[in-house]
Amino acid sequence: ELVRALLLRSGLRTDPQEQIADLNAAVDLEQEGNTAREARALLYLSRGDGENASKDFAELADRDPNNPQTRFAYAMALVAIKKFPEALEQATKIIEANPRLTGPYKLRAQVKRALNQTKEAIADLDTAIQLEPQDLEAMLLRADVYEDLKDFDRARADVEQVLQARPGLPAAILQRAQLYSLQKRYDLAIADLGQLLQQDPKNVQLRVQIAQLYLAGGWPRKAIEYTSAILQDVPDNWIAHRGRGDAYLAIGKHAEAIADFETAVKLAPDHSGILNNFAWVLATTPDDKLRSADRAIEFATRACEITKYEESHILSTLAAAYAEKGDFETAIKWSTKAVELGTEEQKEPLRKELESYQQKKAWRESQTTEEKPNPPELPGTSKT
């Protein structure tokens, strides 16, 4: 009776410590059964405390090794604390004992994906879909794994199959938009996100994503126009400020870019992308009034520290900042490192920067991106 009372009171409490205290007392008192321990394990799991949840679930699995629900929860707790090999072992045990259940195959596929065993993850999801052909969750998971493999056509085929079964499913439309973006089919990605925006017109995250797609698709002025409308509603959105700054940078409007980066870096002071882009324009703009070597060095150094001096494009920015300062020895040092770390695609432009520093010339850059014609319009809007 006391155990039942403690469980009931724990469920009615609002203070987390008092909830756990009641469950601890119930676990200590319960001589038969696992109700109290299971309740405590589930509470730990709901709070993101996978470490304590996994301890309770391990005890429960030992007591009732043939209970698939308990072992499944144990595996999920192990995933929460990133103990993927142990989670894989538990999921496999469930499958061996219950080969017709689809949930364990999906869980094991997620674990295998985390372990970069993508082909094995696909095999598990194939099995889950064979067992339950209308398992939409398994199809979307398989689309995710195909995306990891850069097999975008198969990924989209799975998403399209989900949308045939559930037209308008937001998760599937969002996933398809992501696939279109990865394939640089930005107009189609914008159309998909616009469809979702019709259902939720105030969704700032969707609006920011659309603005980013306009910029990526070669419509920087459209991105500026669209982002400016977002910032009228949410002036403290650092992602929008950063995105508009990048768009201004793309068309050579450096003063406007600096103003947006200034705001963005105050709102997100430890974001390496903002720090890098801000430092780059401060170091390389042709406008003498806008350059600031000291600030460029400060921001580029912070960006390098955050990324552990492992990103070639950020090392390139640090080199440009030192070149603007006139310290070409240090500029050559970091520029050389940038070339070493750069991909084959990056190496040629990075070498040109290095050659400039070797000639004791600071780097200057001003982009003048031409607007592509006919930017896609969002559903429900008209051209202006």
Side-chain angles (χ1 to χ4, degrees), residues 13 20 35 78 110 147 149 178 238 267 313 383:
R13 287 193 187 277
I20 287 294
T35 305
L78 290 168
Q110 290 176 289
E147 182 181 318
L149 293 168
Q178 168 72 6
W238 67 265
L267 295 168
H313 69 288
K383 290 186 178 182

Side-chain angles (χ1 to χ4, degrees), residues 246-258:
D246 289 343
Y248 277 130
L249 202 57
I251 60 173
K253 290 195 172 186
H254 293 175
E256 292 86 344
I258 286 171

Side-chain angles (χ1 to χ4, degrees), residues 136-137 140-141 143-144 147 159 162-163 166-179 192-193 196 199 206:
L136 305 186
E137 181 187 28
L140 290 178
L141 280 172
D144 278 334
E147 182 181 318
V159 174
V162 170
L163 286 170
R166 288 279 302 279
L169 182 67
I173 294 174
L174 192 62
Q175 195 161 356
R176 187 173 64 182
Q178 168 72 6
L179 291 166
D192 269 346
L193 293 186
L196 293 177
Q199 302 171 27
L206 282 176

